[in-house]
Amino acid sequence: LRELKAKGPENLYLLWGEEDYLREQFLLEIKKLCIPEDTEEFNYKRFSGPAVDMKSLSDAVDSLPFFSERTLIEVRDYDINKCRDADLKALKEITEDLPGYCTLVFVLGPDYEPDGRLSAYKTIKEHGRVIQFTFQSTSQLVKWLSRRFEALGKTISRENAEYLLFTSGSLMNRLIPEVEKLSAYAKSDEITREDIDAVAQRIPEANVFDMTDCLAARDFDGAVEILADLLASREAPIKLLAIIGQQMRNLYAARLALDSGLGKNYVMETCRLKYDFMAKKLLSSARGFTLDRLARAVELCAETDYKMKSSSADDEALLKDLLLQLAMGDGL
């Protein structure tokens, strides 16, 4: 952003990555620099969808600015991984000869990853700027959360900010409504963990953490209720299985740490955990399992994954059966 403001917009960009808040903020800054107030109708054009008519795009690029020094062309959600043959030839012609007054921006969704081996990506990278917007570091997000809460008359400790990130995830667009909701809900000036537990939207990873806590405490009804809520929220069973499998591997590492006299730092490093309290929670939950039971749990997750990918069995039924086996210890 500093470079953009200092040097001005370049002629060609590819913006992609899971952190869509930062991507949209960057795009907004490009718009401010390219398009003077009240000239958007003449100097801004947008194309949307996986396919783009290259002739129309070429005509838009060649259109001269009106009451402005620049034009801005935004191409959103174009499937550049499927750009082939005639479209690829046209794309190369457009990007190789962009007018100095035009800024062309390709914007990809948060779930789309361009293939850097393909010609379309290489063409854009050769003639323009490719920027990936990734998750921010914990320290950056904690500072950002503190500023947003302060703007609404609230404060939050670092520990509770980290807990909010664990609960609601690290995507900034997802966190903005949580900040507003918590600020409206909290009775005191400081956001507490109880406030977060009461109203914050929980990501599947946080719910799976709670579900395995229930299994460790022999609270099978609680675990079933959490799984039912996850399935009711239309989370794909294969995605939930991946999260459960990762959690079981983490619990195995934590149980191994307990049995071997290793500490919290080993768990954080081995499981690549971001937050100190997550390691403590894992170690606490791992005490409710034997090492053999967790080893079998990891195997069961792998077996269920194979069944989901190789059979016609109902994925939800397989996931429920896995939970039952995990709860019963599969005979261990």
Side-chain angles (χ1 to χ4, degrees), residues 36-52:
E37 191 175 353
D38 299 326
T39 69
E40 183 172 317
E41 180 181 354
F42 308 105
N43 299 307
Y44 169 71
K45 291 183 175 60
R46 172 171 167 165
F47 297 82
S48 297
V52 174

Side-chain angles (χ1 to χ4, degrees), residues 2-11 13 30 33-34 70 103:
R2 285 193 297 268
E3 181 180 339
L4 175 63
K5 291 175 182 178
K7 298 182 180 180
E10 299 183 25
N11 289 110
Y13 291 95
I30 291 177
L33 293 171
C34 286
R70 302 192 67 83
T103 292

